[in-house]
Amino acid sequence: MNSIHDFEARNMVRMALEAQERAYVPYSHFRVGACLKAASGAYYLGCNIENAAYTPTICAERLAMFRAAYEGEREFEALAVVWDGDRAAMPCGVCRQVLSEFCKPDMPVICALSAEEYKTFTLKELLPEAFGPGDLK
Ligand code: THU
């Protein structure tokens, strides 16, 4: 597995916590932050940005991913996610699918409650048997 050391995991969670402060959440008041590390070594941050029409809302994880993809990044080492919830942050199903377009199945996803409390899953654990580019003929 592409494992990630605790030091780096905590570093990424702290960056996700900073990103969380930028959340635009006038409807849910539920703040989410994400930090995605590319193979280049660059970090891409995201927060959720809501919309009065509700469905155009973008999650923190997808904003981080799309910011990275726009910059030309195509390989990733890890993702950290934080939210305001009572348990460790878990990416929604849509974000899991978007991540699986670019990230390898063994990429660690650090699901955090705080910089001290988090658990790490592989993307494959979060989205087994994912539909992906290889399925299209
Ligand atoms: N949200 C995220 O940003 N990421 C997730 O993985 C779960 C949900 C956001 C979307 C919306 O702004 C708010 O949390 C409530 O659903």
Side-chain angles (χ1 to χ4, degrees), residues 25 28 30 32 48 50 57-61 83 90-92 95:
V25 290
S28 74
F30 189 76
V32 187
N48 51 336
E50 298 185 342
T57 292
I58 189 161
C59 292
E61 300 91 317
W83 67 14
M90 299 302 301
C92 81
C95 288

Side-chain angles (χ1 to χ4, degrees), residues 53-131:
Y54 297 174
T55 48
T57 292
I58 189 161
C59 292
E61 300 91 317
R62 266 178 295 147
L63 183 59
M65 171 53 81
F66 291 151
R67 291 183 75 194
Y70 175 79
E71 297 297 337
E73 302 282 10
R74 293 293 184 268
E75 282 183 51
F76 298 93
E77 288 190 358
L79 171 75
V81 194
V82 295
W83 67 14
D84 283 336
D86 297 330
R87 64 175 181 131
M90 299 302 301
C92 81
V94 173
C95 288
R96 294 177 197 202
Q97 180 66 31
V98 168
L99 290 166
S100 77
E101 181 74 22
F102 296 104
C103 306
K104 294 193 174 75
D106 68 350
M107 187 189 80
V109 179
I110 303 150
C111 300
L113 192 58
S114 69
E116 292 73 41
E117 279 180 273
Y118 56 83
K119 39 189 177 180
T120 304
F121 300 90
T122 63
L123 182 56
K124 191 179 179 177
E125 286 175 313
L126 298 181
L127 191 66
E129 302 293 336
F131 171 77

Side-chain angles (χ1 to χ4, degrees), residues 18-39:
E18 282 186 23
Q20 187 187 22
E21 288 175 24
R22 300 192 182 204
Y24 173 75
V25 290
Y27 309 107
S28 74
H29 306 288
F30 189 76
R31 309 177 85 85
V32 187
C35 173
L36 180 64
K37 185 180 185 182

